Amino acid sequence: MAAGRRRTTAIAAALAAAALTAGLSGCGAVDKALDCVRTADSVADSVTDLQQAVENASDDPTRADSSLDAIQKDLDRIGDRTDDADVNKAVDHLDHAVAGVRRAIKDGDATPDVTPVTDAAGELTKVCTP
């Protein structure tokens, strides 16, 4: 009888450990999702800053670069932390849009079209929001 009880206890302990491990991996997924949402929110703030910087380019032409740098930093952070195909696709689109605005500024456009950045940021927000 004692051997049966020990075996039952061992099986229960193994099942509890398996459940705990599964729960922890679930928490990792939750943490990744929350990080995605936080990063998308940060990107949205940076996009707003970019829009304002472009509108006021004559006041401070370096502000757009700072906003683009902030967006790029957020993209690098989220790109390193996710393996979600939709998030990666949205990050790639936003990265491409940021590069386009950088290129336009480098080519002398004081008020580049930031619509592709805004659209891509919206796409990222959409895929990060459950």
Side-chain angles (χ1 to χ4, degrees):
M1 188 77 137
R5 197 172 319 176
R6 278 191 297 249
R7 186 172 358 144
T8 302
T9 302
I11 291 170
L15 289 173
L20 180 61
T21 302
L24 290 177
S25 66
C27 288
V30 169
D31 287 342
K32 283 183 180 182
L34 286 174
D35 191 46
C36 186
V37 170
R38 286 185 202 115
T39 302
D41 186 47
S42 180
V43 167
D45 290 343
S46 297
V47 169
T48 300
D49 289 344
L50 175 62
Q51 289 171 321
Q52 292 172 352
V54 168
E55 289 172 9
N56 302 312
S58 60
D59 296 337
D60 184 2
T62 63
R63 189 169 163 209
D65 280 333
S66 296
S67 298
L68 291 168
D69 290 345
I71 294 169
Q72 193 62 56
K73 181 180 173 185
D74 288 333
L75 291 178
D76 291 345
R77 182 175 54 229
I78 196 170
D80 291 343
R81 293 183 180 176
T82 187
D83 55 358
D84 183 280
D86 292 332
V87 172
N88 283 327
K89 183 178 175 183
V91 166
D92 288 345
H93 286 162
L94 188 49
D95 190 44
H96 182 59
V98 165
V101 172
R102 281 193 194 277
R103 198 170 28 259
I105 291 171
K106 183 180 176 186
D107 292 343
D109 187 350
T111 56
D113 180 15
V114 296
T115 304
V117 174
T118 305
D119 292 347
E123 179 185 348
L124 178 62
T125 300
K126 184 178 175 181
V127 298
C128 283
T129 305

